[in-house]
Amino acid sequence: MKNTALILAMTAAFGTFNLAHAEGPDPAALKGMYDTGRNMSGLINHCVDKGFLKADSTENAKKMVAFVAGIPGGMDKSDGDKNEARGRKGEILENGEYKSLETSSLGLKEWCQQADEGMRQGLKSVGL
């Protein structure tokens, strides 16, 4: 996954919050944001476990999940635990399918660093 695509994915998840307020929450979009956020949280933990990120990254992942989970609109959170667990195994959720980060063209270390940066930028964009 390219850096630009990753950062766009993270900021889109945060940016959709404003869109949801403007047009009314879309249940499918909210579920997608939550599932992606939980999977990203697991992936960040995977990166910390591998030694590519520091422990503070997990705190940011928790902030991201809490932010997304707090978006009003009655989102379906039923797959959250599963998506986070798959992320902890190094599996990224893309377009409804899981793919191993081990096969990333960036390599795991670089992917982890770019994902962390994307998450930090997303949090900053919403004031967290």
Side-chain angles (χ1 to χ4, degrees):
M1 178 180 271
K2 294 180 181 174
N3 182 36
T4 304
L6 180 61
I7 291 173
L8 287 175
M10 291 306 301
T11 55
F14 291 112
T16 305
F17 176 70
N18 292 330
L19 182 61
H21 280 296
E23 299 175 1
D26 173 23
L30 291 174
K31 179 173 178 28
M33 285 172 43
Y34 183 75
D35 289 347
T36 299
R38 288 291 302 271
N39 181 245
M40 182 61 68
S41 178
L43 291 163
I44 293 296
N45 279 287
H46 178 75
C47 293
V48 169
D49 292 345
K50 293 285 188 179
F52 297 130
L53 297 176
K54 295 183 180 182
D56 71 324
S57 295
T58 60
E59 293 305 313
N60 284 331
K62 288 177 187 175
K63 288 179 191 177
M64 176 194 58
V65 169
F67 175 81
V68 174
I71 296 173
M75 72 180 67
D76 177 0
K77 298 176 183 176
S78 62
D79 293 329
D81 290 343
K82 174 186 78 170
N83 287 316
E84 189 161 341
R86 299 282 298 256
R88 285 207 73 131
K89 293 178 184 178
E91 298 175 7
I92 187 168
L93 179 62
E94 287 184 356
N95 302 319
E97 295 181 17
Y98 295 99
K99 298 176 182 176
S100 174
L101 280 183
E102 300 296 329
T103 62
S104 169
S105 61
L106 292 174
L108 185 58
K109 182 178 180 179
E110 187 174 346
W111 187 96
C112 290
Q113 291 169 341
Q114 290 184 12
D116 187 55
E117 180 60 28
M119 181 178 59
R120 289 174 191 271
Q121 287 182 18
L123 288 169
K124 186 178 178 180
S125 76
V126 295
L128 294 177

Short mmCIF file of all heavy atoms in Angstrom, two decimals, residues 76-114:
data_model
loop_
_atom_site.label_atom_id
_atom_site.label_comp_id
_atom_site.label_asym_id
_atom_site.label_seq_id
_atom_site.Cartn_x
_atom_site.Cartn_y
_atom_site.Cartn_z
N ASP A 76 -22.94 -0.39 13.49
CA ASP A 76 -22.82 -1.83 13.77
C ASP A 76 -21.38 -2.12 14.17
O ASP A 76 -20.47 -2.01 13.38
CB ASP A 76 -23.20 -2.61 12.50
CG ASP A 76 -23.05 -4.11 12.65
OD1 ASP A 76 -22.66 -4.59 13.74
OD2 ASP A 76 -23.33 -4.82 11.67
N LYS A 77 -21.21 -2.53 15.43
CA LYS A 77 -19.88 -2.80 15.97
C LYS A 77 -19.63 -4.30 16.13
O LYS A 77 -18.65 -4.70 16.74
CB LYS A 77 -19.72 -2.10 17.31
CG LYS A 77 -19.84 -0.59 17.22
CD LYS A 77 -19.76 0.05 18.59
CE LYS A 77 -19.95 1.56 18.48
NZ LYS A 77 -19.98 2.19 19.80
N SER A 78 -20.50 -5.11 15.57
CA SER A 78 -20.46 -6.56 15.81
C SER A 78 -19.18 -7.24 15.33
O SER A 78 -18.79 -8.26 15.88
CB SER A 78 -21.67 -7.23 15.17
OG SER A 78 -21.68 -7.04 13.77
N ASP A 79 -18.51 -6.69 14.33
CA ASP A 79 -17.30 -7.33 13.80
C ASP A 79 -16.01 -6.70 14.34
O ASP A 79 -14.91 -7.06 13.90
CB ASP A 79 -17.28 -7.25 12.26
CG ASP A 79 -18.37 -8.10 11.64
OD1 ASP A 79 -18.74 -9.13 12.23
OD2 ASP A 79 -18.85 -7.72 10.55
N GLY A 80 -16.12 -5.77 15.27
CA GLY A 80 -14.96 -5.05 15.76
C GLY A 80 -13.89 -5.94 16.36
O GLY A 80 -12.71 -5.82 16.01
N ASP A 81 -14.27 -6.83 17.27
CA ASP A 81 -13.27 -7.70 17.92
C ASP A 81 -12.56 -8.58 16.89
O ASP A 81 -11.35 -8.75 16.94
CB ASP A 81 -13.92 -8.58 18.99
CG ASP A 81 -14.36 -7.78 20.21
OD1 ASP A 81 -13.91 -6.63 20.39
OD2 ASP A 81 -15.17 -8.31 21.00
N LYS A 82 -13.34 -9.11 15.94
CA LYS A 82 -12.75 -9.97 14.90
C LYS A 82 -11.76 -9.17 14.04
O LYS A 82 -10.65 -9.64 13.77
CB LYS A 82 -13.85 -10.54 14.00
CG LYS A 82 -13.33 -11.33 12.80
CD LYS A 82 -14.43 -11.76 11.86
CE LYS A 82 -14.84 -10.59 11.01
NZ LYS A 82 -15.72 -10.87 9.91
N ASN A 83 -12.13 -7.96 13.65
CA ASN A 83 -11.26 -7.15 12.81
C ASN A 83 -9.99 -6.74 13.53
O ASN A 83 -8.90 -6.72 12.94
CB ASN A 83 -12.00 -5.92 12.29
CG ASN A 83 -13.01 -6.29 11.23
OD1 ASN A 83 -12.73 -7.07 10.34
ND2 ASN A 83 -14.21 -5.74 11.35
N GLU A 84 -10.09 -6.44 14.81
CA GLU A 84 -8.90 -6.08 15.57
C GLU A 84 -7.99 -7.30 15.76
O GLU A 84 -6.77 -7.20 15.62
CB GLU A 84 -9.28 -5.49 16.93
CG GLU A 84 -8.09 -4.91 17.63
CD GLU A 84 -8.44 -3.93 18.73
OE1 GLU A 84 -9.57 -3.39 18.76
OE2 GLU A 84 -7.55 -3.68 19.56
N ALA A 85 -8.59 -8.46 16.04
CA ALA A 85 -7.79 -9.69 16.21
C ALA A 85 -7.05 -10.04 14.92
O ALA A 85 -5.88 -10.45 14.95
CB ALA A 85 -8.69 -10.84 16.65
N ARG A 86 -7.72 -9.88 13.79
CA ARG A 86 -7.05 -10.16 12.51
C ARG A 86 -5.90 -9.19 12.28
O ARG A 86 -4.85 -9.56 11.76
CB ARG A 86 -8.05 -10.11 11.34
CG ARG A 86 -9.21 -11.09 11.38
CD ARG A 86 -8.90 -12.50 10.98
NE ARG A 86 -8.43 -12.75 9.66
CZ ARG A 86 -9.13 -13.26 8.65
NH1 ARG A 86 -10.40 -13.55 8.80
NH2 ARG A 86 -8.54 -13.49 7.49
N GLY A 87 -6.09 -7.94 12.68
CA GLY A 87 -5.01 -6.97 12.58
C GLY A 87 -3.83 -7.34 13.45
O GLY A 87 -2.68 -7.22 13.04
N ARG A 88 -4.09 -7.82 14.63
CA ARG A 88 -2.99 -8.23 15.53
C ARG A 88 -2.19 -9.38 14.94
O ARG A 88 -1.04 -9.57 15.29
CB ARG A 88 -3.54 -8.63 16.89
CG ARG A 88 -3.96 -7.40 17.70
CD ARG A 88 -3.88 -7.64 19.14
NE ARG A 88 -2.52 -7.70 19.61
CZ ARG A 88 -2.08 -7.04 20.65
NH1 ARG A 88 -2.88 -6.24 21.30
NH2 ARG A 88 -0.84 -7.19 21.07
N LYS A 89 -2.81 -10.13 14.03
CA LYS A 89 -2.11 -11.21 13.34
C LYS A 89 -1.37 -10.70 12.10
O LYS A 89 -0.75 -11.48 11.37
CB LYS A 89 -3.09 -12.30 12.90
CG LYS A 89 -3.73 -13.05 14.04
CD LYS A 89 -4.71 -14.06 13.49
CE LYS A 89 -5.45 -14.77 14.59
NZ LYS A 89 -6.45 -15.72 14.03
N GLY A 90 -1.49 -9.41 11.81
CA GLY A 90 -0.82 -8.84 10.65
C GLY A 90 -1.64 -8.90 9.38
O GLY A 90 -1.09 -8.87 8.28
N GLU A 91 -2.97 -8.95 9.53
CA GLU A 91 -3.86 -9.01 8.37
C GLU A 91 -4.63 -7.71 8.25
O GLU A 91 -5.34 -7.31 9.17
CB GLU A 91 -4.83 -10.19 8.52
CG GLU A 91 -4.14 -11.53 8.56
CD GLU A 91 -5.08 -12.68 8.82
OE1 GLU A 91 -6.30 -12.49 8.85
OE2 GLU A 91 -4.58 -13.80 9.00
N ILE A 92 -4.49 -7.07 7.11
CA ILE A 92 -5.15 -5.79 6.86
C ILE A 92 -6.47 -6.01 6.11
O ILE A 92 -6.55 -6.83 5.20
CB ILE A 92 -4.23 -4.83 6.08
CG1 ILE A 92 -4.86 -3.45 5.99
CG2 ILE A 92 -3.85 -5.39 4.72
CD1 ILE A 92 -3.90 -2.38 5.50
N LEU A 93 -7.49 -5.28 6.53
CA LEU A 93 -8.80 -5.35 5.89
C LEU A 93 -8.83 -4.32 4.76
O LEU A 93 -8.74 -3.11 5.00
CB LEU A 93 -9.89 -5.04 6.92
CG LEU A 93 -11.33 -5.03 6.45
CD1 LEU A 93 -11.74 -6.41 5.93
CD2 LEU A 93 -12.26 -4.61 7.59
N GLU A 94 -8.92 -4.81 3.54
CA GLU A 94 -8.99 -3.93 2.36
C GLU A 94 -10.14 -4.38 1.48
O GLU A 94 -10.18 -5.54 1.05
CB GLU A 94 -7.70 -4.00 1.55
CG GLU A 94 -6.52 -3.30 2.17
CD GLU A 94 -5.30 -3.32 1.25
OE1 GLU A 94 -5.34 -3.94 0.18
OE2 GLU A 94 -4.30 -2.72 1.64
N ASN A 95 -11.06 -3.48 1.22
CA ASN A 95 -12.19 -3.77 0.34
C ASN A 95 -12.93 -5.03 0.78
O ASN A 95 -13.31 -5.86 -0.05
CB ASN A 95 -11.73 -3.89 -1.11
CG ASN A 95 -11.06 -2.63 -1.60
OD1 ASN A 95 -11.52 -1.52 -1.31
ND2 ASN A 95 -9.97 -2.78 -2.32
N GLY A 96 -13.10 -5.19 2.09
CA GLY A 96 -13.85 -6.33 2.61
C GLY A 96 -13.09 -7.64 2.68
O GLY A 96 -13.65 -8.66 3.05
N GLU A 97 -11.80 -7.63 2.32
CA GLU A 97 -10.99 -8.85 2.35
C GLU A 97 -9.75 -8.61 3.19
O GLU A 97 -9.24 -7.50 3.27
CB GLU A 97 -10.56 -9.23 0.93
CG GLU A 97 -11.70 -9.61 0.02
CD GLU A 97 -11.22 -10.01 -1.36
OE1 GLU A 97 -10.02 -10.30 -1.52
OE2 GLU A 97 -12.04 -10.00 -2.28
N TYR A 98 -9.26 -9.68 3.78
CA TYR A 98 -8.03 -9.61 4.56
C TYR A 98 -6.84 -9.98 3.70
O TYR A 98 -6.89 -10.94 2.94
CB TYR A 98 -8.09 -10.56 5.76
CG TYR A 98 -9.15 -10.18 6.76
CD1 TYR A 98 -10.38 -10.82 6.75
CD2 TYR A 98 -8.92 -9.19 7.69
CE1 TYR A 98 -11.36 -10.47 7.66
CE2 TYR A 98 -9.90 -8.83 8.60
CZ TYR A 98 -11.11 -9.48 8.58
OH TYR A 98 -12.09 -9.13 9.48
N LYS A 99 -5.76 -9.20 3.88
CA LYS A 99 -4.51 -9.47 3.17
C LYS A 99 -3.37 -9.39 4.19
O LYS A 99 -3.41 -8.57 5.10
CB LYS A 99 -4.29 -8.45 2.06
CG LYS A 99 -5.36 -8.49 1.00
CD LYS A 99 -5.17 -7.42 -0.04
CE LYS A 99 -6.32 -7.50 -1.03
NZ LYS A 99 -6.28 -6.45 -2.01
N SER A 100 -2.38 -10.21 4.01
CA SER A 100 -1.24 -10.23 4.93
C SER A 100 -0.34 -9.02 4.69
O SER A 100 0.00 -8.71 3.55
CB SER A 100 -0.43 -11.51 4.74
OG SER A 100 0.75 -11.45 5.52
N LEU A 101 0.03 -8.37 5.77
CA LEU A 101 0.99 -7.27 5.66
C LEU A 101 2.37 -7.76 5.24
O LEU A 101 3.16 -7.01 4.70
CB LEU A 101 1.13 -6.54 6.99
CG LEU A 101 0.07 -5.54 7.34
CD1 LEU A 101 0.41 -4.86 8.66
CD2 LEU A 101 -0.09 -4.49 6.26
N GLU A 102 2.63 -9.02 5.48
CA GLU A 102 3.94 -9.59 5.13
C GLU A 102 4.20 -9.49 3.63
O GLU A 102 5.34 -9.49 3.20
CB GLU A 102 4.03 -11.05 5.57
CG GLU A 102 3.86 -11.25 7.06
CD GLU A 102 4.95 -10.62 7.92
OE1 GLU A 102 6.10 -10.52 7.46
OE2 GLU A 102 4.63 -10.22 9.05
N THR A 103 3.14 -9.40 2.83
CA THR A 103 3.29 -9.31 1.38
C THR A 103 3.26 -7.87 0.86
O THR A 103 3.26 -7.65 -0.34
CB THR A 103 2.21 -10.14 0.67
OG1 THR A 103 0.92 -9.60 1.01
CG2 THR A 103 2.28 -11.60 1.08
N SER A 104 3.22 -6.91 1.79
CA SER A 104 3.18 -5.51 1.40
C SER A 104 4.40 -5.15 0.56
O SER A 104 5.52 -5.55 0.88
CB SER A 104 3.12 -4.61 2.63
OG SER A 104 3.34 -3.27 2.28
N SER A 105 4.20 -4.39 -0.49
CA SER A 105 5.33 -3.97 -1.33
C SER A 105 6.28 -3.05 -0.58
O SER A 105 7.44 -2.91 -0.95
CB SER A 105 4.81 -3.29 -2.59
OG SER A 105 4.07 -2.13 -2.25
N LEU A 106 5.80 -2.43 0.48
CA LEU A 106 6.64 -1.54 1.27
C LEU A 106 7.55 -2.30 2.23
O LEU A 106 8.57 -1.78 2.64
CB LEU A 106 5.77 -0.62 2.13
CG LEU A 106 4.93 0.42 1.42
CD1 LEU A 106 4.04 1.14 2.41
CD2 LEU A 106 5.83 1.41 0.70
N GLY A 107 7.16 -3.48 2.59
CA GLY A 107 7.83 -4.19 3.67
C GLY A 107 7.16 -3.81 4.97
O GLY A 107 6.61 -2.71 5.12
N LEU A 108 7.16 -4.70 5.92
CA LEU A 108 6.41 -4.52 7.15
C LEU A 108 6.87 -3.30 7.95
O LEU A 108 6.04 -2.51 8.40
CB LEU A 108 6.49 -5.79 8.01
CG LEU A 108 5.64 -5.78 9.28
CD1 LEU A 108 4.18 -5.55 8.96
CD2 LEU A 108 5.83 -7.08 10.04
N LYS A 109 8.16 -3.11 8.10
CA LYS A 109 8.66 -1.99 8.89
C LYS A 109 8.21 -0.65 8.32
O LYS A 109 7.68 0.20 9.04
CB LYS A 109 10.18 -2.04 8.98
CG LYS A 109 10.76 -0.93 9.83
CD LYS A 109 12.27 -1.04 9.91
CE LYS A 109 12.83 0.09 10.76
NZ LYS A 109 14.29 0.00 10.89
N GLU A 110 8.39 -0.47 7.02
CA GLU A 110 8.00 0.80 6.40
C GLU A 110 6.48 0.99 6.45
O GLU A 110 5.99 2.08 6.70
CB GLU A 110 8.51 0.88 4.96
CG GLU A 110 8.28 2.24 4.34
CD GLU A 110 8.90 2.39 2.97
OE1 GLU A 110 9.73 1.56 2.57
OE2 GLU A 110 8.53 3.36 2.29
N TRP A 111 5.74 -0.10 6.22
CA TRP A 111 4.28 0.00 6.29
C TRP A 111 3.87 0.47 7.69
O TRP A 111 3.03 1.37 7.82
CB TRP A 111 3.62 -1.35 5.98
CG TRP A 111 2.14 -1.23 5.89
CD1 TRP A 111 1.40 -1.05 4.77
CD2 TRP A 111 1.20 -1.21 6.98
NE1 TRP A 111 0.06 -0.92 5.10
CE2 TRP A 111 -0.07 -1.01 6.45
CE3 TRP A 111 1.34 -1.32 8.37
CZ2 TRP A 111 -1.22 -0.94 7.24
CZ3 TRP A 111 0.19 -1.25 9.16
CH2 TRP A 111 -1.07 -1.07 8.60
N CYS A 112 4.46 -0.12 8.72
CA CYS A 112 4.12 0.24 10.10
C CYS A 112 4.41 1.72 10.35
O CYS A 112 3.57 2.43 10.93
CB CYS A 112 4.91 -0.62 11.08
SG CYS A 112 4.41 -2.35 11.14
N GLN A 113 5.55 2.18 9.91
CA GLN A 113 5.92 3.58 10.13
C GLN A 113 4.97 4.52 9.40
O GLN A 113 4.55 5.54 9.96
CB GLN A 113 7.36 3.81 9.71
CG GLN A 113 8.34 3.10 10.62
CD GLN A 113 9.77 3.07 10.08
OE1 GLN A 113 10.01 3.27 8.89
NE2 GLN A 113 10.71 2.82 10.97
N GLN A 114 4.60 4.18 8.19
CA GLN A 114 3.69 5.03 7.43
C GLN A 114 2.27 4.98 8.00
O GLN A 114 1.58 6.00 8.02
CB GLN A 114 3.72 4.65 5.96
CG GLN A 114 5.04 5.03 5.32
CD GLN A 114 5.08 4.77 3.83
OE1 GLN A 114 4.07 4.50 3.19
NE2 GLN A 114 6.27 4.85 3.26
#
